[in-house]
Amino acid sequence: MRLLLVLLAAFVLTRCAEVAASSAQEDTPTERPDYALVIHGGAGTILPENMTDERAAAIRAAMNEAMDAGEKILREGGSSADAVEATIWVLEDSPYFNAGRGAVFTNAGINEMDASFMTGQDQNAGAVGGLTTIKHPISAARAVMERSEHVLLSGKGANDFATEQGLEAVDPKYFFTQERYDALERARAGEKVEQEKIDVDKKHGTVGCVALDKSGNLAAGTSTGGMTNKRYNRLGDSPLIGAGTYADNATCGVSCTGWGEYFIRYAVAYDVHARMAYGGASLQEAADAVIHQTLTEKGGTGGLIAMDAEGNVAMPFNTPGMYRGYLKAGGEREIEFYE
């Protein structure tokens, strides 16, 4: 009997040790990469049958160049804010994305650009709306964040402030591209039938970036030309903190792209953060719920990119495609266009 009790005790102790070891293994978090970065270049009806090999290669090259610019800063120990700005500069310089150089035209035949910026360590934020002469709107948004007591500036005041801060100004003709102007002409021609609901390009071409640096700080930025044929100085979600952009080291960084009116109504970027902060959701769970439930059920279209403080990435969208990509320290990198 004594021997039986000894054997039983040994079994129980061994089993307890195994369970404890198993639990410890399950609770061990995935090792955070030294740095990480995720980008988007717009969501919408992006289909392989509508894409030439040459155009796909050019878009992919621009996205890789943008990620290279951000990664260089992160690899050398630079801040996530610097990486976001450098990454979006490249996207704003490309005619393939609806931001900066590739911005769409308003009904009046001009380009009005919006952008926002937010840092996760302090939730500081800045944004601009209706820029017409600043080459890199994302830098104007960052300047508002860092060099003013305000969060959002718009129109002439935003242009004046950015110029006073020494940001590069260009002739509005710099933003002219024939492809975007032709899209405006098609939109104008379709007004009799669909009025302002027409979506000629069938794509929401905002650009955005979220980065995590070696210090563990997140930053997020978004830049756009808005909606083709827009009127009355319309602003979408991109210059609105909580709608198009959000960042908090405790949860995640987010940049959105889509039908802005819906992203504004449902505070999409902030909702991802809130689901994590107050509901205990993981990054993927929060992002999927917002895009595939809240937004989809209300008729909104688009997507978002998000990254948490551990370098996990989410890139959900409810459209046929979204230009998106991410990289992590160690060489992991991916760029995708379609579902």
Side-chain angles (χ1 to χ4, degrees), residues 4-14:
L4 181 59
L5 290 174
V6 171
L7 291 174
L8 181 59
F11 172 78
V12 171
L13 289 172
T14 301

